[in-house]
Amino acid sequence: MAREPSPDRPWSTQLRKGLVELTVLAALRGVKEAYGYELLQRINGLPGFELTESTVYPMLARLSKDGLLNVRVGPSPHGPPRRYYALTTAGRKRLKNMSAEWSQLNASIQSLLDGDAR
Amino acid sequence: MNEPSDPPQFGTLPEDVQAKFEAHLDAVDAVLMRYGQNRSQRASITDELDGQLRDMLTSHCDGTEPTVEDAESVLAEVEPPEAFARRSIDLEAVPVYSGFADDDGPPPRTSGWAIAGLVCVILGVLASVASVVTIAGLFVGYMSHQAQPVAERAFSSRVVLASHSPPLGPSLAQAQAGSGVSVVGLFLIFGIGFLPLLVFAVLAMACGIVAMGKIKAAPRHVGGWGLAVFDVVFFPFWVVWGVLTAGLWVGVFYVVQSIKLLSGKMNVFEDGWHDMPWAELLAWGPVATLLGLALNVWITRATVLGLQGWRSGNAVPRRPFPLGILVWLCFGLAVGLIAVAFSGIGDGDNFILPAIGVLVLGAFLGVVAGRRGYGWFAALACALGAGVLLYLR
């Protein structure tokens, strides 16, 4: 079902939404593992990001299902066991490809913007 | 109860706080289920959310024992359950860079096997129509040629082509059989109708099953699940419809006769079964057909829903039973039976058509009103109509 962007959901929202997968994978790079809420806080601690649980948690479920994340269930000090996520080899490979693609796209757009500026 | 000096043990939250959180998690789970997420995905998402709620509660309480107000404050900070309906599409989202105008990617193409199954269904229906026409033609020909010798009248091939035309000469049956009894008619029945019907029915089901397998294997690329299920269940449920109709037809008819016997409207020893009310028997046909169709539609619906649940990996979802319609159907049927039983058909006063009219009208009202939760009003209207008709009589 196609969802039309509405005036109160500007293109930046759509842009972030398209980058959720890359964002989640990138947030797991450099750490051994992290649980869902921890990831959410880490991402939203960056300027410009306002991801919600209804976006991130389904994404984590999908990435796990696709074999890009490894899930380990461990104890939690505040209740039932937590799920700790870590990148798998396939996840790292996907992140590398996406990162390269993003860099290229970003560079291209930047060159256009620089051209406009000149 | 924890002592004030003890740190709160959030693994065992106070019952009312736990209930608040569980209600929220259940609501999220229900939304995810409604949007087709399977059990493991739902569990993954709700477990994460559960952990988040507890972490937020810990921060919110800052060492004190959590209360319902604390839980409500935490819940006010998270998204409502409905948000997961909007976002849960991300579970099956495909390419990240799929464009902003249609960020769900191209729709899956309809399975060619499912389409082929639909073609077989259509051809099978046409074959069945051909069967009916063939049998009707043979029957008409048989009736119109009864006065002629056996070889001329029975299953003559030409009566199918022109049942009202006079015989054009020695029939093919007579010419071929020579013994007086033709088998050409049977050949026609099986050749024109039944055999293709059988072939197309098997092909339709086979195509549907193959299509379901293809769709299950590649849901993002191949679609048409509903059509595939339709291909598989069409002919089996057609047979079920026939069985239901026949059972209801014969069963209802003899129940009515039994009620008439019990009510003294008919004496089996005086009237005898040789006074079979044929008109009544025929009139019950459409009613039994409609009731059989209603039951069949319900069975088909339950089957399709079950298969949808199987496809998404969920247990068969619990759906509210259409009580309004069922209540009406039972009630309308009972009223119709009583109306027919006490109508005095054996006295020559034909009351069955108004009674059936009440039944059909009630069915219509039940279907319309029952869907809006007013099935009982339809049933009462049905009973009132039957009562008025009985009184007028």
Side-chain angles (χ1 to χ4, degrees):
Chain A
M1 180 169 37
R3 284 158 289 167
E4 301 269 339
S6 58
D8 57 338
R9 293 186 66 199
W11 73 273
S12 60
T13 305
Q14 298 292 323
L15 178 63
R16 289 192 194 93
K17 186 174 177 183
L19 294 172
V20 169
E21 183 173 341
L22 174 61
T23 305
V24 170
L25 291 174
L28 279 167
R29 185 171 61 179
V31 297
K32 186 182 174 189
E33 57 184 10
Y35 59 92
Y37 186 44
E38 186 182 4
L39 272 176
L40 188 62
Q41 287 179 308
R42 179 176 299 165
I43 293 169
N44 285 338
L46 300 171
F49 276 103
E50 292 175 1
L51 296 185
T52 60
E53 56 269 19
S54 67
T55 299
V56 173
Y57 297 160
M59 179 60 72
L60 288 172
R62 180 168 73 79
L63 294 175
S64 305
K65 179 185 165 193
D66 292 347
L68 302 178
L69 297 182
N70 186 36
V71 184
R72 180 183 70 83
V73 178
S76 162
H78 304 309
R82 278 177 175 152
R83 293 165 186 264
Y84 291 90
Y85 299 91
L87 287 173
T88 62
T89 306
R92 286 194 194 88
K93 188 175 177 184
R94 168 75 70 90
L95 176 60
K96 186 180 175 185
N97 292 338
M98 292 179 75
S99 177
E101 205 168 337
W102 166 248
S103 298
Q104 185 181 5
L105 183 67
N106 189 31
S108 300
I109 291 176
Q110 192 59 48
S111 70
L112 287 174
L113 291 173
D114 291 345
D116 285 346
R118 280 196 295 268
Chain B
M1 184 73 69
N2 295 324
E3 294 298 326
S5 57
D6 291 340
Q9 298 300 311
F10 290 98
T12 53
L13 290 172
E15 199 170 321
D16 45 359
V17 174
Q18 182 79 30
K20 279 280 178 191
F21 281 177
E22 284 185 0
H24 183 83
L25 295 171
D26 286 346
V28 171
D29 187 73
V31 169
L32 292 170
M33 179 185 280
R34 196 160 66 238
Y35 279 81
Q37 309 312 327
N38 65 34
R39 184 182 298 277
S40 65
Q41 288 170 325
R42 296 199 314 271
S44 170
I45 294 167
T46 53
D47 283 354
E48 291 298 341
L49 191 56
D50 191 15
Q52 176 181 344
L53 292 175
R54 288 166 186 271
D55 282 0
M56 291 173 71
L57 188 66
T58 304
S59 302
H60 184 85
C61 294
D62 196 21
T64 61
E65 184 166 358
T67 63
V68 176
E69 289 72 26
D70 295 326
E72 287 174 346
S73 298
V74 167
L75 289 174
E77 292 178 34
V78 299
E79 288 182 301
E82 295 73 28
F84 285 82
R86 181 165 42 85
R87 311 277 188 184
S88 58
I89 297 169
D90 289 340
L91 279 171
E92 297 300 333
V94 216
V96 175
Y97 305 110
S98 58
F100 298 153
D102 184 7
D103 54 359
D104 288 336
R109 61 176 177 79
T110 304
S111 166
W113 286 98
I115 295 172
L118 177 64
V119 172
C120 290
V121 166
I122 294 171
L123 291 175
V125 170
L126 291 177
S128 70
V129 171
S131 294
V132 171
V133 171
T134 305
I135 294 170
L138 289 170
F139 181 73
V140 171
Y142 174 78
M143 297 300 288
S144 62
H145 290 73
Q146 269 188 331
Q148 299 181 22
V150 172
E152 281 287 323
R153 71 179 192 229
F155 302 128
S156 174
S157 60
R158 64 172 170 267
V159 300
V160 178
L161 303 175
S163 59
H164 298 297
S165 303
L168 300 176
S171 70
L172 180 61
Q174 189 180 26
Q176 290 185 343
S179 61
V181 178
S182 170
V183 292
V184 174
L186 289 174
F187 285 172
L188 284 173
I189 291 173
F190 286 104
I192 295 177
F194 287 154
L195 195 55
L197 174 60
L198 174 70
V199 170
F200 287 128
V202 171
L203 284 177
M205 287 188 286
C207 288
I209 291 170
V210 172
M212 288 169 71
K214 299 277 186 188
I215 296 167
K216 183 82 176 168
R220 293 181 186 174
H221 305 293
V222 186
W225 179 266
L227 183 59
V229 172
F230 174 79
D231 295 341
V232 173
V233 303
F234 182 84
F235 285 108
F237 282 118
W238 198 357
V239 175
V240 170
W241 181 20
V243 171
L244 287 172
T245 299
L248 287 169
W249 194 342
V250 176
V252 168
F253 175 76
Y254 279 103
V255 167
V256 169
Q257 304 312 311
S258 301
I259 294 174
K260 286 162 71 173
L261 283 170
L262 291 173
S263 65
K265 291 288 182 183
M266 186 174 72
N267 188 322
V268 69
F269 299 108
E270 291 180 2
D271 296 338
W273 289 108
H274 63 276
D275 290 331
M276 177 76 76
W278 293 106
E280 186 180 346
L281 180 61
L282 291 174
W284 272 114
V287 178
T289 304
L290 286 176
L291 287 173
L293 180 62
L295 283 171
N296 195 31
V297 167
W298 182 77
I299 294 170
T300 307
R301 176 176 176 270
T303 304
V304 171
L305 288 176
L307 288 173
Q308 282 177 341
W310 170 75
R311 180 197 176 191
S312 64
N314 294 321
V316 177
R318 284 188 173 184
R319 306 252 176 173
F321 193 81
L323 275 178
I325 297 172
L326 186 70
V327 165
W328 178 85
L329 283 176
C330 295
F331 198 89
L333 182 61
V335 171
L337 286 175
I338 294 170
V340 171
F342 289 92
S343 63
I345 290 171
D347 302 332
D349 185 1
N350 195 339
F351 193 68
I352 188 170
L353 289 181
I356 291 175
V358 171
L359 204 60
V360 174
L361 177 63
F364 177 74
L365 289 174
V367 170
V368 173
R371 293 182 69 85
R372 290 172 168 77
Y374 301 111
W376 280 106
F377 291 102
L380 289 174
C382 173
L384 187 63
V388 169
L389 285 172
L390 286 170
Y391 175 76
L392 291 177
R393 179 184 172 271

